[in-house]
Amino acid sequence: MDLTDIKGIGKKKKECLQRLSINSVSDLYNYYPKEYEDRSKKFMLSSNIDENKHYFEWTIESKIYMKYSRKSTISYLYASENEKKIKLIWFNDKFSPRKLKIGETYKFYTKVKTDGQNFECYNPMFTNLKDLSIGSIIPIYSLTRSITNNNLRNFINEALKYYNMDENFLGNKLIRKFEFSSKLSNLKEIHSPSSIIKLKKAKSEIKIVDFLKELIFIYLMNKENYYQKLDLEYNLDEILGKLDFELTSSQYKSLVDILNDINSNSPMNRLLCGDVGSGKTIIAIISMIIFGLNKYQSAMMVPTEVLASQQYEKNKDFIESFGLKVSLLTSSTKNKDKIKMDLKKGKIDILIGTHALIVDDVDFNNLKFIVADEQHRFGVRQRQSLYQKGSNANYLTMTATPIPRTLYLKISKLLNLSQITELPKGRGEIRTEIILESMRNSIDNKLKKVLAEGRQVYIVSDSIDSDDKNSVENLYSYYKSNFREYKVKKLHGKLKSIEKEDILKEFSKGNIDILISTTVIEVGIDIKNANTMLIYNANNFGLSSLHQLRGRIGRGRYESYCYLICEKFNEKSKLNIIKNSNDGFEIARKDLKLRGAGKILSTIQHGKNLNDIDYFNLKENEINLCFEIFEFSKEENFKNINLKYLENYFNIDKGIVLN
């Protein structure tokens, strides 16, 4: 069945949906909302109403009044709720209020401002009393051009009529025993929630079943026999002796875990977990060097060109000190053809790059070790493509996502896991402060002191060139004119790849004092002299992103400073969590509590939609239930599990258990 068979989807809409990786009817109904807006509870006007949007029912009491100025048009009218009156105001919109008729009652979803007696709202959303888009829980989807939220809701509800029963994973016996609903019922609840309680149950069951697929797949794959005989020779003391620092105990243990794996008779599939800045990459580099010394090729795939260039420049001298050849391959690499030819001939031992590594004409001579860094940023097919360029290659995935101890202990029985639990020695302390925008003079004075000491500064914004006064462009103008004695540059995703690389190289060399950037610097950037970060619009970032960003500083011996800049602040602000903790797991746990969100198992989830949706997470009781179902199913030899679907679901992933 083609997407165009769904009511409302023509050729153009199909092309738009494909930009969201929706290529089939199954993809459509398995495309989960990114969040929900609870418009189900009706509120009444009161003097202590908060600043959030709420659902109200008001009766229109007056005609429309108009005010004109050179720049804008203001339309307004009055409505009532019992004895209370409210002024409804529209800016530059003469048409919406004309739909409201005097004496009629409508649903409104809006914020209300009040001084205790008078009530006002601006550009309110409204519908008639029968319309359920106000008065229910509304799923909010990630969108693309020409696709609205209503489009997706309608398309998905239509697609659910054609649900493929072959996607049912649990047999009836398991559904009855563990009191689950069918997948179809859960999908209907997820896309058209009837209540918060039922929605939570449906989401929980969907993710438990998804994780159960992982456990059964991993268990069955571990029973298959893959054989390798590498007989790697190396002098670990000699390799570690060339480092200008000493590995932490957990770094060393993780390295030993990897070396034990690659010297076994089966190819390695290991997950290396460690908090931001814990030193995962050097463990991968040492492992690749060992393969290179034994005439095998290695590849490290990272998500961005900036990060690929950084890893290449940072590790090139160390790798080449062993007589090995390392190259960089990204979409903007100039000498691609020569690199590809040398790679095919076996003249390159280690290749570091981005998605450019998986292009069809990239051929390895003897690829035996693969590293996926920040791997959750890659799609399953991309990771498969790289794996297929080797022959039973050893596979290491790395993540900064903390895994709770409960899950770690349970899943380590099935998976090869290593955790780096401490930061490298010699790191400066990071002090985090929350500062109001109104204190800009104070901020500037702090910066000038740091810059005068010869250090460098990151300034981060969540927007590039919007009307926001704190966008990259506006901040660039401000710091360029107020810090004229210092070199100021901007870095963001709209720049060409070569420009981004050049700017980062100059910053790394110390030739740029202030780098104003978007979150393009969120992962992997390691510049020891940069000890200060200002994050503007800090309230707009998730806790995990703030923690990742902060991890760019504190990498040298200097005391470091992270300033979270916001317009408003109170004692209950989530920013206090970042201010008071540097513990990645603690922050992730509190992020989950705040948002009902945050990834824990992104490293071992195959489902592309679940991979992308933050709130699909596992809590301790869900982990325990999942393992209970797993153990029960295993005892019954999985006869109540749809193994055929499992095989189709993972397709050619059999070689990469951890991707």
Side-chain angles (χ1 to χ4, degrees):
M1 184 176 185
D2 193 80
L3 279 173
T4 53
D5 294 325
I6 298 296
K7 183 179 177 181
I9 300 179
K11 185 179 177 182
K12 288 186 177 179
K13 289 293 185 190
K14 177 181 176 179
E15 290 172 358
C16 295
L17 289 171
Q18 287 173 334
R19 290 201 295 269
L20 297 171
S21 296
I22 298 173
N23 299 300
S24 67
V25 175
S26 176
D27 288 342
L28 188 54
Y29 57 66
N30 281 301
Y31 188 78
Y32 299 107
K34 64 177 181 178
E35 59 185 343
Y36 293 87
E37 204 166 58
D38 187 357
R39 305 174 187 171
S40 61
K41 185 180 177 182
K42 188 169 77 169
F43 276 67
M44 306 292 285
L45 292 175
S46 66
S47 57
N48 62 351
I49 197 161
D50 61 34
E51 294 184 358
N52 297 317
K53 287 184 177 181
H54 294 296
Y55 157 37
F56 301 90
E57 289 184 7
W58 299 325
T59 303
I60 306 304
E61 296 288 346
S62 78
K63 66 177 185 178
I64 302 169
Y65 299 93
M66 308 288 293
K67 284 186 178 179
Y68 299 96
S69 69
R70 204 182 306 173
K71 292 185 177 180
S72 65
T73 303
I74 299 175
S75 310
Y76 66 95
L77 53 77
Y78 292 92
S80 68
E81 177 194 287
N82 297 329
E83 300 286 318
K84 298 184 178 72
K85 279 196 173 184
I86 180 165
K87 187 177 182 181
L88 281 54
I89 303 166
W90 286 264
F91 296 101
N92 298 318
D93 180 1
K94 295 183 287 185
F95 302 101
S96 292
R98 291 178 183 173
K99 299 174 184 176
L100 299 171
K101 297 178 181 179
I102 296 176
E104 294 286 332
T105 301
Y106 298 88
K107 294 178 179 179
F108 292 85
Y109 186 69
T110 182
K111 293 180 183 180
V112 172
K113 291 195 172 183
T114 179
D115 58 8
Q117 292 184 330
N118 300 303
F119 300 94
E120 291 182 345
C121 69
Y122 304 96
N123 295 89
M125 175 194 296
F126 61 88
T127 67
N128 62 52
L129 293 176
K130 293 181 180 180
D131 193 322
L132 294 179
S133 61
I134 299 177
S136 59
I137 302 165
I138 304 298
I140 308 296
Y141 300 89
S142 294
L143 304 174
T144 186
R145 181 169 41 86
S146 300
I147 296 289
T148 67
N149 204 65
N150 279 340
N151 284 154
L152 268 177
R153 288 179 63 200
N154 292 334
F155 296 160
I156 290 170
N157 286 331
E158 191 69 22
L160 282 168
K161 296 176 183 177
Y162 305 96
Y163 172 74
N164 183 0
M165 292 296 179
D166 289 341
E167 292 186 27
N168 291 336
F169 187 62
L170 302 183
N172 290 332
K173 182 177 180 180
L174 289 175
I175 286 177
R176 287 193 299 270
K177 178 175 176 59
F178 293 98
E179 298 181 347
F180 271 40
S181 299
S182 68
K183 181 179 178 182
L184 178 57
S185 296
N186 284 333
L187 285 173
K188 287 179 177 179
E189 189 64 38
I190 280 170
H191 293 299
S192 300
S194 57
S195 73
I196 292 292
I197 292 173
K198 289 182 179 179
L199 173 60
K200 285 181 177 179
K201 183 177 184 292
K203 284 164 58 176
S204 178
E205 291 183 10
I206 286 277
K207 63 188 175 183
I208 287 171
V209 171
D210 189 66
F211 184 40
L212 182 65
K213 293 171 190 171
E214 302 287 344
L215 296 184
I216 295 173
F217 174 73
I218 292 164
Y219 173 78
L220 294 176
M221 286 312 306
N222 284 344
K223 293 178 71 174
E224 290 196 18
N225 292 319
Y226 292 93
Y227 182 75
Q228 70 173 5
K229 188 171 178 61
L230 296 178
D231 294 327
L232 301 182
E233 294 182 3
Y234 54 90
N235 185 326
L236 188 56
D237 290 338
E238 181 183 329
I239 295 171
L240 297 181
K242 287 193 176 185
L243 293 172
D244 57 4
F245 58 89
E246 189 176 333
L247 296 182
T248 64
S249 59
S250 55
Q251 277 181 307
Y252 185 79
K253 183 182 181 306
S254 297
L255 178 59
V256 170
D257 287 343
I258 291 168
L259 296 180
N260 287 338
D261 282 352
I262 60 183
N263 281 304
S264 71
N265 292 329
S266 301
M268 176 185 72
N269 277 299
R270 182 165 289 273
L271 173 63
L272 177 59
C273 310
D275 202 356
V276 178
S278 61
K280 298 181 293 295
T281 304
I282 191 60
I283 302 305
I285 294 292
I286 292 169
S287 303
M288 290 194 289
I289 287 170
I290 289 171
F291 272 87
L293 291 173
N294 286 271
K295 309 303 179 186
Y296 296 113
Q297 290 176 311
S298 298
M300 176 185 283
M301 186 163 67
V302 300
T304 66
E305 292 198 19
V306 167
L307 181 52
S309 300
Q310 176 85 15
Q311 300 292 27
Y312 172 75
E313 294 293 340
K314 180 184 174 185
N315 296 294
K316 183 174 183 289
D317 290 344
F318 180 54
I319 292 169
E320 292 183 344
S321 71
F322 294 93
L324 300 175
K325 173 67 175 174
V326 58
S327 291
L328 173 69
L329 184 62
T330 69
S331 59
S332 60
T333 299
K334 292 180 180 177
N335 56 336
K336 284 195 197 73
D337 291 340
K338 184 176 187 314
I339 289 174
K340 291 174 184 177
M341 184 65 70
D342 287 347
L343 188 70
K344 192 171 184 178
K345 290 180 178 179
K347 294 181 179 180
I348 294 172
D349 302 293
I350 295 173
L351 187 62
I352 297 173
T354 55
H355 303 79
L357 300 187
I358 61 176
V359 175
D360 288 344
D361 64 349
V362 174
D363 296 314
F364 290 81
N365 181 271
N366 193 10
L367 178 62
K368 277 294 180 184
F369 187 58
I370 295 168
V371 181
D373 191 12
E374 301 293 343
Q375 62 76 50
H376 59 278
R377 296 194 171 207
F378 297 106
V380 174
R381 296 290 169 253
Q382 292 165 334
R383 300 194 291 272
Q384 289 169 341
S385 296
L386 182 57
Y387 179 79
Q388 288 176 305
K389 291 181 182 291
S391 174
N392 284 343
N394 292 266
Y395 204 94
L396 177 68
T397 58
M398 302 196 298
T399 178
T401 305
I403 294 183
R405 180 172 174 78
T406 301
L407 180 58
Y408 183 88
L409 291 175
K410 284 181 175 289
I411 203 169
S412 61
K413 296 173 185 176
L414 294 172
L415 283 176
N416 295 321
L417 295 179
S418 295
Q419 278 193 313
I420 300 177
T421 56
E422 58 208 306
L423 294 178
K425 298 169 184 175
R427 293 284 179 93
E429 183 184 353
I430 302 177
R431 297 183 180 275
T432 304
E433 292 183 29
I434 302 166
I435 299 180
L436 294 175
E437 279 183 33
S438 56
M439 300 169 64
R440 186 160 234 171
N441 288 338
S442 171
I443 299 169
D444 288 355
N445 290 335
K446 290 175 185 289
L447 276 195
K448 286 174 181 175
K449 182 181 177 184
V450 166
L451 292 164
E453 293 170 353
R455 305 287 79 76
Q456 293 163 276
V457 175
Y458 294 104
I459 295 177
V460 183
S461 172
D462 61 333
S463 60
I464 299 175
D465 50 11
S466 67
D467 293 334
D468 180 6
K469 63 181 180 294
N470 295 327
S471 68
V472 167
E473 292 294 347
N474 290 332
L475 289 172
Y476 176 72
S477 298
Y478 175 82
Y479 285 99
K480 189 85 172 167
S481 88
N482 288 277
F483 287 75
R484 293 182 181 178
E485 64 270 41
Y486 297 103
K487 185 73 176 289
V488 182
K489 281 284 185 179
K490 57 188 174 184
L491 178 70
H492 53 74
K494 289 185 178 180
L495 297 175
K496 293 179 180 177
S497 296
I498 190 68
E499 290 180 279
K500 288 187 278 190
E501 287 178 32
D502 288 345
I503 290 168
L504 202 61
K505 282 179 185 176
E506 289 300 297
F507 191 61
S508 183
K509 291 175 183 176
N511 297 333
I512 295 172
D513 302 298
I514 301 175
L515 183 63
I516 300 173
S517 175
T518 57
T519 54
V520 72
I521 60 156
E522 186 176 341
V523 293
I525 309 302
D526 186 1
I527 296 170
K528 292 178 173 55
N529 191 49
N531 76 326
T532 300
M533 176 176 284
L534 277 66
I535 303 177
Y536 279 85
N537 298 337
N539 279 316
N540 293 351
F541 293 86
L543 292 181
S544 295
S545 286
L546 290 172
H547 182 56
Q548 284 274 5
L549 286 166
R550 181 174 58 182
R552 298 313 106 212
I553 58 174
R555 290 177 170 257
R557 56 188 172 84
Y558 313 106
E559 186 172 53
S560 297
Y561 308 91
C562 179
Y563 299 115
L564 307 175
I565 301 170
C566 54
E567 192 172 352
K568 294 179 181 178
F569 171 73
N570 60 55
E571 291 181 2
K572 295 182 180 179
S573 171
K574 66 180 181 182
L575 299 183
N576 275 320
I577 296 170
I578 293 291
K579 178 185 175 183
N580 297 326
S581 178
N582 280 300
D583 184 323
F585 174 63
E586 179 68 10
I587 289 167
R589 188 179 67 80
K590 289 185 176 177
D591 200 14
L592 171 62
K593 193 172 181 179
L594 275 176
R595 302 187 300 142
K599 292 179 181 176
I600 290 179
L601 280 179
S602 59
T603 52
I604 50 174
Q605 287 178 336
H606 292 65
K608 66 182 176 186
N609 296 309
L610 292 177
N611 233 5
D612 297 336
I613 304 303
D614 280 345
Y615 58 72
F616 276 81
N617 200 343
L618 285 168
K619 298 173 186 174
E620 189 167 335
N621 64 315
E622 291 167 334
I623 294 167
N624 292 333
L625 178 55
C626 192
F627 275 89
E628 185 182 343
I629 299 171
F630 170 73
E631 293 296 339
F632 179 83
S633 301
K634 188 171 71 171
E635 287 175 10
E636 295 209 327
N637 201 26
F638 303 111
K639 66 182 180 183
N640 280 289
I641 294 292
N642 185 351
L643 293 179
K644 183 179 178 182
Y645 174 66
L646 189 70
E647 184 178 351
N648 293 333
Y649 185 72
F650 292 105
N651 197 8
I652 55 173
D653 290 353
K654 290 184 177 180
I656 314 173
V657 174
L658 290 180
N659 77 2

